[in-house]
Amino acid sequence: MKPKPPTHITVFAKADGAAPTYWECPSCGFLSGDARFLDTEHPCPECGAVGVERRRFPSDRVRRLDERIRSYQKQGDGEIVVILVMTLLETILEDILDRMMDAHGGDLPLRRMIMDSQRSIGVRIGKLFPALAGEEFEEAAAELGYRDFPKHWRTMREARNAFIHDSPFGGPRERLDARMGEDAMVLLDQAYRLFVLLNNRFVADGHTRS
Ligand SMILES: [Zn+2]
């Protein structure tokens, strides 16, 4: 069953050379970049909850990694930027899948077992995501306005893998250049927005926590 169409508009946080700051409704999981959401009397646009403290998204762990990525980018170190952006994207994918499983009623031991046994990023995107969302990742991204994102992400993962593993398929990649570092930064900024949209569609809209 597909989730119902959104009843709200996602407000994006400002991207000013740092990780964006979103606030999360603990009742339904809705994420908003609207600073008014910090005021606990401002009702959640999704579930109407008031008087509950909102949590910050992304996590401090992701924010620290984001900060380091941006400093490597300033130094022009494209290789480390690509490698770390891929790590960060995999971390936030894991987070969104965990939230989706939670929205489906999966308890913590079950969610841990699934994430531990499904470590391949291809399986997480190609099998786990559609099982939870009821549609392909590519389809969901396109509907939310990010049609090219999955393809760009895949291309960059392949470049990273070839660089790190000297993949025998297609030959080893000697270097990841500065241009790829810039592309990775664009992908990173898009990823935050896309993951917030996916969250608001498949987590906040997908169920109402009791
Ligand atoms: Zn809410």
Side-chain angles (χ1 to χ4, degrees), residues 28-53:
C28 70
F30 182 78
L31 291 171
S32 179
D34 187 344
R36 287 178 305 170
F37 206 36
L38 252 185
D39 173 5
T40 58
E41 292 313 308
H42 186 78
C44 168
E46 175 57 27
C47 73
V50 286
V52 280
E53 193 132 337

mmCIF file of all heavy atoms in Angstrom, residues 28-53:
data_model
loop_
_atom_site.group_PDB
_atom_site.id
_atom_site.type_symbol
_atom_site.label_atom_id
_atom_site.label_comp_id
_atom_site.label_asym_id
_atom_site.label_seq_id
_atom_site.Cartn_x
_atom_site.Cartn_y
_atom_site.Cartn_z
ATOM 1 N N CYS A 28 5.720 11.982 15.477
ATOM 2 C CA CYS A 28 5.478 11.339 14.176
ATOM 3 C C CYS A 28 6.742 11.229 13.322
ATOM 4 O O CYS A 28 6.719 10.614 12.265
ATOM 5 C CB CYS A 28 4.399 12.089 13.399
ATOM 6 S SG CYS A 28 4.913 13.708 12.796
ATOM 7 N N GLY A 29 7.834 11.861 13.736
ATOM 8 C CA GLY A 29 9.080 11.765 12.975
ATOM 9 C C GLY A 29 9.222 12.816 11.893
ATOM 10 O O GLY A 29 10.210 12.836 11.162
ATOM 11 N N PHE A 30 8.242 13.728 11.774
ATOM 12 C CA PHE A 30 8.299 14.779 10.753
ATOM 13 C C PHE A 30 9.531 15.664 10.956
ATOM 14 O O PHE A 30 9.887 16.001 12.084
ATOM 15 C CB PHE A 30 7.023 15.627 10.830
ATOM 16 C CG PHE A 30 6.932 16.715 9.795
ATOM 17 C CD1 PHE A 30 6.578 16.410 8.490
ATOM 18 C CD2 PHE A 30 7.199 18.032 10.128
ATOM 19 C CE1 PHE A 30 6.490 17.408 7.528
ATOM 20 C CE2 PHE A 30 7.109 19.042 9.173
ATOM 21 C CZ PHE A 30 6.758 18.719 7.867
ATOM 22 N N LEU A 31 10.177 16.018 9.832
ATOM 23 C CA LEU A 31 11.364 16.884 9.903
ATOM 24 C C LEU A 31 11.069 18.218 9.251
ATOM 25 O O LEU A 31 10.475 18.264 8.168
ATOM 26 C CB LEU A 31 12.543 16.218 9.171
ATOM 27 C CG LEU A 31 13.145 14.974 9.811
ATOM 28 C CD1 LEU A 31 14.140 14.324 8.850
ATOM 29 C CD2 LEU A 31 13.830 15.308 11.131
ATOM 30 N N SER A 32 11.505 19.290 9.888
ATOM 31 C CA SER A 32 11.300 20.624 9.325
ATOM 32 C C SER A 32 12.515 21.493 9.545
ATOM 33 O O SER A 32 13.141 21.450 10.599
ATOM 34 C CB SER A 32 10.083 21.286 9.976
ATOM 35 O OG SER A 32 9.917 22.592 9.439
ATOM 36 N N GLY A 33 12.854 22.296 8.519
ATOM 37 C CA GLY A 33 13.934 23.265 8.635
ATOM 38 C C GLY A 33 13.397 24.618 9.098
ATOM 39 O O GLY A 33 14.141 25.588 9.182
ATOM 40 N N ASP A 34 12.094 24.681 9.378
ATOM 41 C CA ASP A 34 11.439 25.910 9.820
ATOM 42 C C ASP A 34 11.831 26.195 11.275
ATOM 43 O O ASP A 34 11.517 25.407 12.167
ATOM 44 C CB ASP A 34 9.918 25.708 9.703
ATOM 45 C CG ASP A 34 9.138 26.985 9.988
ATOM 46 O OD1 ASP A 34 9.724 27.930 10.563
ATOM 47 O OD2 ASP A 34 7.943 27.027 9.635
ATOM 48 N N ALA A 35 12.506 27.332 11.489
ATOM 49 C CA ALA A 35 13.004 27.649 12.836
ATOM 50 C C ALA A 35 11.856 27.786 13.850
ATOM 51 O O ALA A 35 12.043 27.576 15.047
ATOM 52 C CB ALA A 35 13.836 28.923 12.808
ATOM 53 N N ARG A 36 10.646 28.096 13.365
ATOM 54 C CA ARG A 36 9.499 28.220 14.284
ATOM 55 C C ARG A 36 9.173 26.892 14.965
ATOM 56 O O ARG A 36 8.553 26.856 16.020
ATOM 57 C CB ARG A 36 8.246 28.679 13.504
ATOM 58 C CG ARG A 36 8.284 30.127 13.083
ATOM 59 C CD ARG A 36 7.048 30.467 12.301
ATOM 60 N NE ARG A 36 6.878 29.550 11.170
ATOM 61 C CZ ARG A 36 5.775 29.482 10.422
ATOM 62 N NH1 ARG A 36 4.737 30.256 10.693
ATOM 63 N NH2 ARG A 36 5.699 28.656 9.403
ATOM 64 N N PHE A 37 9.639 25.809 14.316
ATOM 65 C CA PHE A 37 9.369 24.466 14.821
ATOM 66 C C PHE A 37 10.075 24.231 16.167
ATOM 67 O O PHE A 37 9.710 23.338 16.918
ATOM 68 C CB PHE A 37 9.843 23.457 13.776
ATOM 69 C CG PHE A 37 9.126 22.130 13.809
ATOM 70 C CD1 PHE A 37 7.775 22.059 14.104
ATOM 71 C CD2 PHE A 37 9.794 20.948 13.532
ATOM 72 C CE1 PHE A 37 7.114 20.835 14.122
ATOM 73 C CE2 PHE A 37 9.146 19.720 13.550
ATOM 74 C CZ PHE A 37 7.801 19.664 13.848
ATOM 75 N N LEU A 38 11.087 25.072 16.440
ATOM 76 C CA LEU A 38 11.819 24.969 17.700
ATOM 77 C C LEU A 38 10.941 25.338 18.882
ATOM 78 O O LEU A 38 11.120 24.849 19.992
ATOM 79 C CB LEU A 38 13.014 25.925 17.659
ATOM 80 C CG LEU A 38 14.383 25.304 17.520
ATOM 81 C CD1 LEU A 38 15.444 26.385 17.614
ATOM 82 C CD2 LEU A 38 14.620 24.225 18.546
ATOM 83 N N ASP A 39 9.999 26.257 18.627
ATOM 84 C CA ASP A 39 9.048 26.653 19.663
ATOM 85 C C ASP A 39 8.076 25.488 19.842
ATOM 86 O O ASP A 39 7.333 25.136 18.925
ATOM 87 C CB ASP A 39 8.316 27.925 19.186
ATOM 88 C CG ASP A 39 7.176 28.321 20.121
ATOM 89 O OD1 ASP A 39 7.016 27.669 21.180
ATOM 90 O OD2 ASP A 39 6.470 29.278 19.790
ATOM 91 N N THR A 40 8.070 24.884 21.030
ATOM 92 C CA THR A 40 7.265 23.673 21.228
ATOM 93 C C THR A 40 5.763 23.962 21.142
ATOM 94 O O THR A 40 4.969 23.047 21.030
ATOM 95 C CB THR A 40 7.571 23.003 22.587
ATOM 96 O OG1 THR A 40 7.326 23.952 23.615
ATOM 97 C CG2 THR A 40 9.015 22.531 22.660
ATOM 98 N N GLU A 41 5.397 25.256 21.195
ATOM 99 C CA GLU A 41 3.977 25.593 21.061
ATOM 100 C C GLU A 41 3.532 25.670 19.592
ATOM 101 O O GLU A 41 2.349 25.744 19.296
ATOM 102 C CB GLU A 41 3.662 26.918 21.771
ATOM 103 C CG GLU A 41 3.775 26.831 23.294
ATOM 104 C CD GLU A 41 3.078 25.593 23.864
ATOM 105 O OE1 GLU A 41 1.888 25.379 23.551
ATOM 106 O OE2 GLU A 41 3.739 24.820 24.589
ATOM 107 N N HIS A 42 4.517 25.677 18.682
ATOM 108 C CA HIS A 42 4.195 25.687 17.254
ATOM 109 C C HIS A 42 3.820 24.253 16.872
ATOM 110 O O HIS A 42 4.636 23.349 16.951
ATOM 111 C CB HIS A 42 5.414 26.154 16.450
ATOM 112 C CG HIS A 42 5.145 26.339 14.997
ATOM 113 N ND1 HIS A 42 4.501 27.437 14.491
ATOM 114 C CD2 HIS A 42 5.422 25.549 13.932
ATOM 115 C CE1 HIS A 42 4.395 27.326 13.177
ATOM 116 N NE2 HIS A 42 4.954 26.187 12.810
ATOM 117 N N PRO A 43 2.553 24.011 16.448
ATOM 118 C CA PRO A 43 2.136 22.619 16.229
ATOM 119 C C PRO A 43 2.864 21.950 15.071
ATOM 120 O O PRO A 43 3.198 22.599 14.085
ATOM 121 C CB PRO A 43 0.631 22.733 15.930
ATOM 122 C CG PRO A 43 0.357 24.159 15.661
ATOM 123 C CD PRO A 43 1.483 24.978 16.178
ATOM 124 N N CYS A 44 3.095 20.659 15.213
ATOM 125 C CA CYS A 44 3.696 19.876 14.130
ATOM 126 C C CYS A 44 2.738 19.910 12.946
ATOM 127 O O CYS A 44 1.551 19.613 13.098
ATOM 128 C CB CYS A 44 3.914 18.441 14.595
ATOM 129 S SG CYS A 44 4.331 17.311 13.245
ATOM 130 N N PRO A 45 3.231 20.285 11.734
ATOM 131 C CA PRO A 45 2.324 20.374 10.584
ATOM 132 C C PRO A 45 1.763 19.016 10.159
ATOM 133 O O PRO A 45 0.750 18.945 9.473
ATOM 134 C CB PRO A 45 3.193 20.971 9.477
ATOM 135 C CG PRO A 45 4.589 20.904 9.950
ATOM 136 C CD PRO A 45 4.595 20.665 11.420
ATOM 137 N N GLU A 46 2.418 17.949 10.599
ATOM 138 C CA GLU A 46 1.946 16.619 10.202
ATOM 139 C C GLU A 46 0.934 16.038 11.190
ATOM 140 O O GLU A 46 -0.129 15.604 10.812
ATOM 141 C CB GLU A 46 3.149 15.677 10.033
ATOM 142 C CG GLU A 46 2.806 14.223 9.741
ATOM 143 C CD GLU A 46 1.941 14.044 8.490
ATOM 144 O OE1 GLU A 46 2.017 14.899 7.595
ATOM 145 O OE2 GLU A 46 1.186 13.057 8.434
ATOM 146 N N CYS A 47 1.297 16.041 12.496
ATOM 147 C CA CYS A 47 0.415 15.359 13.458
ATOM 148 C C CYS A 47 -0.206 16.315 14.468
ATOM 149 O O CYS A 47 -1.052 15.906 15.265
ATOM 150 C CB CYS A 47 1.189 14.251 14.185
ATOM 151 S SG CYS A 47 2.377 14.871 15.387
ATOM 152 N N GLY A 48 0.205 17.595 14.421
ATOM 153 C CA GLY A 48 -0.406 18.584 15.302
ATOM 154 C C GLY A 48 0.121 18.592 16.729
ATOM 155 O O GLY A 48 -0.371 19.350 17.562
ATOM 156 N N ALA A 49 1.139 17.733 17.012
ATOM 157 C CA ALA A 49 1.664 17.655 18.382
ATOM 158 C C ALA A 49 2.241 19.000 18.829
ATOM 159 O O ALA A 49 2.925 19.678 18.063
ATOM 160 C CB ALA A 49 2.734 16.569 18.481
ATOM 161 N N VAL A 50 1.940 19.390 20.070
ATOM 162 C CA VAL A 50 2.536 20.588 20.671
ATOM 163 C C VAL A 50 3.121 20.203 22.027
ATOM 164 O O VAL A 50 2.796 19.158 22.577
ATOM 165 C CB VAL A 50 1.513 21.733 20.882
ATOM 166 C CG1 VAL A 50 1.137 22.412 19.589
ATOM 167 C CG2 VAL A 50 0.282 21.230 21.615
ATOM 168 N N GLY A 51 4.005 21.090 22.520
ATOM 169 C CA GLY A 51 4.530 20.895 23.868
ATOM 170 C C GLY A 51 5.539 19.758 23.984
ATOM 171 O O GLY A 51 5.833 19.308 25.082
ATOM 172 N N VAL A 52 6.040 19.283 22.869
ATOM 173 C CA VAL A 52 7.070 18.242 22.934
ATOM 174 C C VAL A 52 8.373 18.792 22.360
ATOM 175 O O VAL A 52 8.376 19.475 21.344
ATOM 176 C CB VAL A 52 6.670 16.963 22.155
ATOM 177 C CG1 VAL A 52 5.714 16.117 22.972
ATOM 178 C CG2 VAL A 52 6.064 17.294 20.798
ATOM 179 N N GLU A 53 9.460 18.490 23.037
ATOM 180 C CA GLU A 53 10.762 18.984 22.608
ATOM 181 C C GLU A 53 11.182 18.325 21.293
ATOM 182 O O GLU A 53 11.076 17.114 21.147
ATOM 183 C CB GLU A 53 11.802 18.668 23.685
ATOM 184 C CG GLU A 53 13.070 19.429 23.448
ATOM 185 C CD GLU A 53 13.543 20.099 24.739
ATOM 186 O OE1 GLU A 53 12.722 20.330 25.645
ATOM 187 O OE2 GLU A 53 14.737 20.370 24.812
#
